[in-house]
Amino acid sequence: MRILGVDPGLTRCGLGTIDAEAGRRVSLVDVRVARSAPDLPPDQRLLIIADEIEKVISEMKPDVMALERVFAQDNVRSVMGTAQVAGIVLLSAARAGIPIEMHTPSEVKAAVSGSGRADKKQVQAMVQRILRLDKPPKPADAADSLAIAICQAWRGGIASLTAQPDRSQHGGAGSLPRAEGSDLTPAQKMWAQAERMSRRHGAVAPQEKVSTQ
Amino acid sequence: MRILGVDPGLTRCGLGTIDAEAGRRVSLVDVRVARSAPDLPPDQRLLIIADEIEKVISEMKPDVMALERVFAQDNVRSVMGTAQVAGIVLLSAARAGIPIEMHTPSEVKAAVSGSGRADKKQVQAMVQRILRLDKPPKPADAADSLAIAICQAWRGGIASLTAQPDRSQHGGAGSLPRAEGSDLTPAQKMWAQAERMSRRHGAVAPQEKVSTQ
């Protein structure tokens, strides 16, 4: 299953694509940062970011998208622009017929580092380790977008988007994590736990996607 | 000059179109409210609203758009959805090559009622009077979108979007309000004042529009 994670932002918008394979394995496919100059009018900035998001969707063809949830109290100065970008990300997903889920910053940090209070360096280091990269992804927005995609791979409940309640019965013993506790990091143990807590899915079949027509 | 005013919202999004003629005269062209059901996923709600906005743009062919500016402190529960809608409104304008400006709620209220603290009923009553309607536009979102369009007609500085500083010299005596103070309401006097304070424009010629290519 291919997952596009988006760290929304008007100045820098992280766009990280991973492949989630059987078991817990996730691999880097692509990562880029869309940027717009702060001195441009807001509508022109959003146009630049939207074009880049649609380009990534068209090139990477994700099965699922994930977006960091923005809160009003986070940062009053920039939060409105961030929420505007979140709006165009949600719209781009709907127009492409791709299911999209939102995760809070704490959920994303907990998924990759085992702690909802991890700082940017810890998130970068864990993303590097999880995706077996030579160096930490930079800037932080790039690492964050990959962390959001990883969070989706392990915590996402895409079945909830398909409105097919009986999918919750489809997990089965074969999807439970194996070899847990032997050579796993604390973060990996936490994912394994999260994985048990959530329903397990393989690739989402096309007919199960949310219809946007 | 045809103006589309947008009162952004996820549950109800007001879309009011007016024509601003020479002098202070403004006329109703169209008003509608795009709605999305609160129980739909956010991406599907934004898609419904975006489709309706693009339909209005396509049908009404506005020269200019105006949007109410959203603040983070307004209403924490709904403000993120409102900001997301504002993002897709800005993007729709940019994609259609239509200049768009934002006005604060106080600016809009002051433009139509003479007071930045006017309540919804006062705004509805003034919009009815200004546009010479048989009854107040309802719901409030419809009246607000028309108030935003009227605010744009009288306060908007579209020249600032065209980056042609010499346009500020084009006002001339002919564009000053006439008969001021005789049979004008307090609100109309305020517009006349706002009109003097701002630069006066006729229709924006196509080549003066902001390029979005």
Side-chain angles (χ1 to χ4, degrees):
Chain A
M1 176 159 51
R2 181 156 292 184
I3 302 170
L4 170 58
V6 183
D7 182 29
L10 207 43
T11 303
R12 285 182 306 278
C13 180
L15 298 157
T17 308
I18 64 169
D19 274 341
E21 297 159 45
R24 271 184 305 278
R25 192 177 173 87
V26 284
S27 312
L28 176 68
V29 176
D30 181 80
V31 63
R32 57 187 91 174
V33 176
R35 295 166 193 271
S36 78
D39 56 345
L40 288 174
D43 58 317
Q44 300 303 309
R45 299 187 72 183
L46 286 165
L47 180 62
I48 291 167
I49 301 290
D51 284 350
E52 192 67 26
I53 290 165
E54 290 179 11
K55 189 166 166 241
V56 171
I57 291 173
S58 157
E59 288 176 9
M60 295 298 132
K61 300 182 175 39
D63 299 300
V64 179
M65 289 172 61
L67 175 66
E68 189 160 284
R69 192 183 290 277
V70 185
F71 292 100
Q73 56 270 46
D74 280 354
N75 179 335
V76 173
R77 279 195 65 193
S78 70
V79 74
M80 289 293 100
T82 305
Q84 289 170 1
V85 172
I88 64 171
V89 171
L90 290 162
L91 180 63
S92 299
R95 290 229 155 118
I98 300 169
I100 183 165
E101 285 192 277
M102 286 186 272
H103 304 284
T104 67
S106 303
E107 284 168 350
V108 173
K109 287 173 185 172
V112 298
S113 77
S115 162
R117 295 182 174 192
D119 64 21
K120 284 197 180 294
K121 287 220 176 226
Q122 287 173 299
V123 170
Q124 282 178 312
M126 285 308 300
V127 167
Q128 177 189 2
R129 190 165 172 174
I130 294 161
L131 297 175
R132 304 170 305 282
L133 308 176
D134 293 336
K135 52 184 182 179
K138 287 182 184 174
D141 316 82
D144 284 347
S145 69
L146 292 168
I148 293 157
I150 294 165
C151 178
Q152 174 67 35
W154 292 105
R155 294 193 51 147
I158 283 302
S160 66
L161 288 170
T162 64
Q164 299 193 354
D166 60 340
R167 272 179 67 79
S168 64
Q169 308 301 321
H170 291 183
S175 65
L176 287 172
R178 281 170 289 267
E180 185 187 339
S182 54
D183 54 354
L184 299 184
T185 66
Q188 286 173 321
K189 283 181 191 164
M190 174 159 276
W191 306 332
Q193 191 181 359
E195 193 179 18
R196 276 199 311 278
M197 299 294 284
S198 69
R199 293 166 289 187
R200 272 296 277 129
H201 318 288
V204 177
Q207 70 273 21
E208 292 175 328
K209 284 185 184 168
V210 173
S211 167
T212 59
Q213 303 310 316
Chain B
M1 177 159 53
R2 182 157 291 183
I3 303 170
L4 169 58
V6 183
D7 181 28
L10 207 43
T11 302
R12 287 182 305 277
C13 180
L15 298 157
T17 307
I18 63 168
D19 275 340
E21 297 159 46
R24 270 185 306 278
R25 193 177 172 86
V26 284
S27 312
L28 175 68
V29 176
D30 182 81
V31 63
R32 57 186 94 174
V33 177
R35 296 167 193 270
S36 77
D39 56 345
L40 288 175
D43 57 317
Q44 299 303 310
R45 300 187 72 183
L46 287 165
L47 180 61
I48 291 166
I49 302 289
D51 284 350
E52 192 67 25
I53 291 165
E54 290 178 12
K55 189 167 168 242
V56 171
I57 291 174
S58 157
E59 289 176 7
M60 295 298 132
K61 298 183 174 40
D63 300 300
V64 180
M65 288 171 62
L67 175 66
E68 189 159 284
R69 190 182 291 278
V70 186
F71 292 100
Q73 56 271 44
D74 279 354
N75 180 336
V76 173
R77 279 194 66 193
S78 70
V79 74
M80 290 293 99
T82 305
Q84 289 170 1
V85 172
I88 64 171
V89 171
L90 289 162
L91 179 63
S92 299
R95 289 230 156 118
I98 300 168
I100 182 165
E101 285 193 276
M102 285 186 273
H103 304 284
T104 67
S106 302
E107 284 168 350
V108 173
K109 288 172 184 172
V112 299
S113 77
S115 162
R117 296 183 176 192
D119 64 20
K120 285 198 178 294
K121 287 222 174 222
Q122 287 173 297
V123 169
Q124 282 178 312
M126 284 309 299
V127 166
Q128 177 189 2
R129 188 164 174 176
I130 294 162
L131 296 175
R132 304 169 305 283
L133 308 175
D134 292 336
K135 50 184 183 177
K138 287 182 183 174
D141 315 81
D144 284 347
S145 69
L146 292 168
I148 292 157
I150 294 165
C151 177
Q152 175 67 35
W154 292 105
R155 296 193 49 148
I158 283 302
S160 67
L161 289 170
T162 63
Q164 298 195 353
D166 62 338
R167 275 180 65 80
S168 64
Q169 308 300 319
H170 291 183
S175 65
L176 287 173
R178 280 170 289 266
E180 186 186 338
S182 54
D183 54 353
L184 299 185
T185 66
Q188 286 174 321
K189 283 179 191 165
M190 174 160 278
W191 307 331
Q193 191 179 359
E195 192 180 21
R196 277 198 310 277
M197 300 294 285
S198 70
R199 293 165 292 187
R200 271 295 276 133
H201 319 288
V204 177
Q207 70 272 22
E208 291 173 328
K209 282 185 185 170
V210 174
S211 169
T212 57
Q213 305 307 318

